[in-house]
Amino acid sequence: MGLSEVQSRALLGLAAPAVTVEVHLANGLPSFTLVGLAEVEVKEARERVRSAILNSGLAFPHNQRITVNLAPADLPKDSGRFDLPIALGILAASGQIDGTRLAGWAFAGELSLSGELRPVRGALAMAAALRQSDEAPRLALPPGSAEEAALVPGLAVHRARHLLDVVAQFLPAGAADAAAPAEGWTPLPPAARAPEPTYPDLADVKGQASAKRALEIAAAGGHSLLMMGPPGSGKSMLAQRFAGLLPPMDDDEALQSAAIASLDGAFDVARWGQRPTRAPHHTASAVALVGGGSPPRPGEISLADGGVLFLDELPEFPRAALEALREPLESGRITISRAARRADFPARFQLVAAMNPCPCGHLGQRQPACRCTPDQVARYQGRLSGPLLDRIDLHIEVPQLASDELLAAPAGESTASVRARCIAARARAVTRQGTPNQALQGQALDAHLQLDAAAAAFAGTAAARLGWSARATHRALKVARTIADLAGSQSTTVAHVAEAIQYRRALRAAGR
């Protein structure tokens, strides 16, 4: 009889709770039983583990009753990450490795039938959870996963290419002295900070001075943005360059963004510290945008955390998908609840959306002329609900440039110079109130807006005449505060409020 325990980690949203893999060998009819609320891919580990142990030249206890328990029993487990800890538990219970030496280690990895270790998703989330735990054990992972985990500071990460590489580190005392060093076992040093990421340059966009100004305001204050204009006017080019205007990510922001990408299996170490830009197709469902499934996976709004969510052809998205964005735009988080589990994901993204003014896209142009009826234009723009538009801070028009103006226009201002102003303006806001202007709420908004008397009267008159809701009024005032920060002004004046008001009139001017 033998009993062993090995530590691993499960994934439930961004959380990675500890899982103890317990293995018990007993006399009786040969069997291999796996318990502990395991999904199908975990139960299939029985065959992978058996083949990997045998093909690695190790002994598998065929003639004994094997019971594997994944504790806690009420926590759902999925994926092949438990293959390696199950194999090590069987080897420890059968005396082939020293089980006492496994204390203080955590393992994860999928096994091939030959014993090679394959990467698992969510390695960075696992490492981040280990760093926050009290014991902070050492972590052994396959190639591809280990490099992700090494980005987490203060954690000892080892890379193993084969099951035998791990076994060689935990052999009994006498055997360990005689064992040759494992070539595939590598302690990874803490990852160095990646060089400053590069983004497409805003200078590539010719003309469109008003649209670039709106992008600068949005980047400085953390505001959402809706661009409306005919096809080919430059809306997509502007959106693709928006992330380059945002301040650099600090280590915590970069770690959280990378951990979410790791959960989706889409993390690239070379993109560490780069603000993501997600651009889902307009056929994306509500689940694809906000997340879901079983087990719950992050959606596009969470994969864009700390970066930009670009929704091109906004009215073409399903109505349910757009309405699902309303709460995350306010709260910066999304909670996905299912019958068996609940997952909470961050969703602090900046929404940048683009749309045509009408179905044909040429409303207001002389050449080519718009062929849509007023009713068609109203129905098209009516696909965007009032509550959703209320939550978008800046509404701007991006007109089509004449061909002679486009060809003669010089290169615009570079991303670097615009970004410097955005960083300085956001630093003023954070120093003053601790958050970007977009996040101001309630009494904090009243305290830090610093409206002078004339500006307050002007804002009240404009809101009444334009029929704004309280939310729309507050959002316009937040934009005005950002404009004041870009100008280096301590107070918000009439000029700042007037500029902010013009950024909420694009749809009304187009006939909405």
Side-chain angles (χ1 to χ4, degrees):
M1 292 174 52
L3 180 64
S4 66
E5 294 183 358
V6 183
Q7 289 293 318
S8 187
R9 289 267 160 174
L11 287 178
L12 188 61
L14 267 185
V19 173
T20 301
V21 180
E22 301 172 326
V23 180
H24 180 231
L25 301 184
N27 296 327
L29 291 175
S31 64
F32 192 158
T33 305
L34 200 154
V35 297
L37 205 56
E39 301 287 352
V40 173
E41 58 266 39
V42 181
K43 293 180 179 178
E44 291 174 347
R46 293 175 295 188
E47 304 306 321
R48 292 193 296 269
V49 168
R50 188 196 313 269
S51 298
I53 289 177
L54 291 174
N55 290 328
S56 299
L58 301 168
F60 187 85
H62 287 288
N63 299 322
Q64 291 182 287
R65 181 181 179 87
I66 306 172
T67 303
V68 178
N69 179 42
L70 306 178
D74 61 343
L75 179 71
K77 292 94 179 175
D78 70 319
S79 85
R81 70 184 63 255
F82 298 104
D83 290 6
L84 177 58
I86 290 172
L88 293 176
I90 292 174
L91 295 174
S94 59
Q96 299 178 69
I97 62 175
D98 187 353
T100 61
R101 300 179 63 188
L102 297 173
W105 283 86
F107 302 89
E110 181 181 329
L111 284 171
S112 70
L113 299 185
S114 64
E116 295 284 341
L117 286 171
R118 291 172 175 162
V120 294
R121 63 178 179 83
L124 206 150
M126 293 170 54
L130 279 172
R131 186 185 67 165
Q132 295 172 1
S133 65
D134 295 334
E135 65 276 7
R138 292 166 287 181
L139 181 60
L141 291 169
S145 298
E147 289 78 3
E148 286 185 25
L151 294 170
V152 179
L155 193 67
V157 179
H158 293 70
R159 179 179 59 207
R161 300 185 180 278
H162 196 278
L163 174 61
L164 290 177
D165 296 328
V166 184
V167 168
Q169 310 305 312
F170 303 101
L171 292 172
D177 294 338
E183 296 181 359
W185 179 266
T186 310
L188 295 183
R193 178 73 180 184
E196 185 70 19
T198 58
Y199 301 91
D201 199 335
L202 191 62
D204 297 336
V205 182
K206 294 186 176 181
Q208 304 297 3
S210 61
K212 292 179 181 178
R213 170 65 173 173
L215 254 67
E216 180 179 345
I217 296 169
H223 304 289
S224 50
L225 171 69
L226 171 61
M227 297 180 287
M228 184 176 66
S233 59
K235 302 185 297 293
S236 296
M237 285 188 70
L238 288 164
Q240 291 162 2
R241 285 151 179 78
F242 181 69
L245 303 180
L246 301 176
M249 302 180 87
D250 60 33
D251 288 340
D252 289 338
E253 286 181 312
L255 185 59
Q256 179 166 277
S257 177
I260 299 171
S262 178
L263 286 178
D264 192 56
F267 176 65
D268 182 2
V269 176
R271 297 175 65 87
W272 168 258
Q274 182 170 343
R275 292 190 181 272
T277 297
R278 304 290 299 188
H281 192 261
H282 61 257
T283 56
S285 65
V287 172
L289 281 181
V290 303
S294 182
R297 297 284 188 88
E300 293 291 339
I301 63 173
S302 296
L303 294 170
D305 182 69
V308 181
L309 177 68
F310 175 45
L311 301 184
D312 201 4
E313 305 294 345
L314 186 66
E316 304 296 339
F317 279 81
R319 181 66 174 259
L322 293 180
E323 296 306 305
L325 298 176
R326 285 157 55 175
E327 291 81 2
L329 278 171
E330 291 282 348
S331 65
R333 302 198 69 80
I334 180 69
T335 300
I336 301 170
S337 298
R338 298 294 181 263
R341 63 194 71 177
R342 178 176 175 273
D344 189 58
F345 294 106
R348 289 186 297 273
F349 61 93
Q350 282 194 242
L351 175 64
V352 177
M355 61 178 287
N356 297 326
C358 64
C360 77
H362 301 296
L363 180 67
Q365 288 186 275
R366 293 184 177 180
Q367 188 67 30
C370 175
R371 58 179 183 269
C372 303
T373 66
D375 188 51
Q376 288 176 319
V377 175
R379 281 202 306 269
Y380 181 77
Q381 294 190 7
R383 295 177 185 176
L384 305 179
S385 70
L388 176 63
L389 290 173
D390 253 3
R391 289 168 167 84
I392 301 178
D393 299 338
L394 301 164
H395 307 163
I396 64 168
E397 290 186 80
V398 184
Q400 184 76 271
L401 295 181
S403 58
D404 54 348
E405 182 182 355
L406 177 65
L407 295 175
E413 192 174 12
S414 68
T415 291
S417 59
V418 178
R419 187 190 196 197
R421 294 197 298 269
C422 294
I423 292 174
R426 185 170 292 201
R428 293 186 189 101
V430 172
T431 301
R432 180 179 62 246
Q433 66 220 13
T435 63
N437 292 320
Q438 186 276 334
L440 285 174
Q441 299 290 341
Q443 295 181 3
L445 177 62
D446 296 334
H448 299 294
L449 191 57
Q450 298 177 1
L451 272 176
D452 61 30
F458 180 70
T461 302
R465 290 185 177 180
L466 295 173
W468 284 349
S469 67
R471 179 190 292 115
T473 303
H474 285 162
R475 286 185 175 269
L477 292 177
K478 293 177 189 179
V479 171
R481 179 65 262 183
T482 299
I483 295 171
D485 286 334
L486 283 168
S489 173
Q490 294 293 326
S491 61
T492 305
T493 66
V494 171
H496 304 142
V497 174
E499 184 177 358
I501 288 173
Q502 73 173 341
Y503 295 125
R504 297 194 67 89
R505 292 177 55 83
L507 285 173
R508 184 180 296 275
R512 182 174 170 78

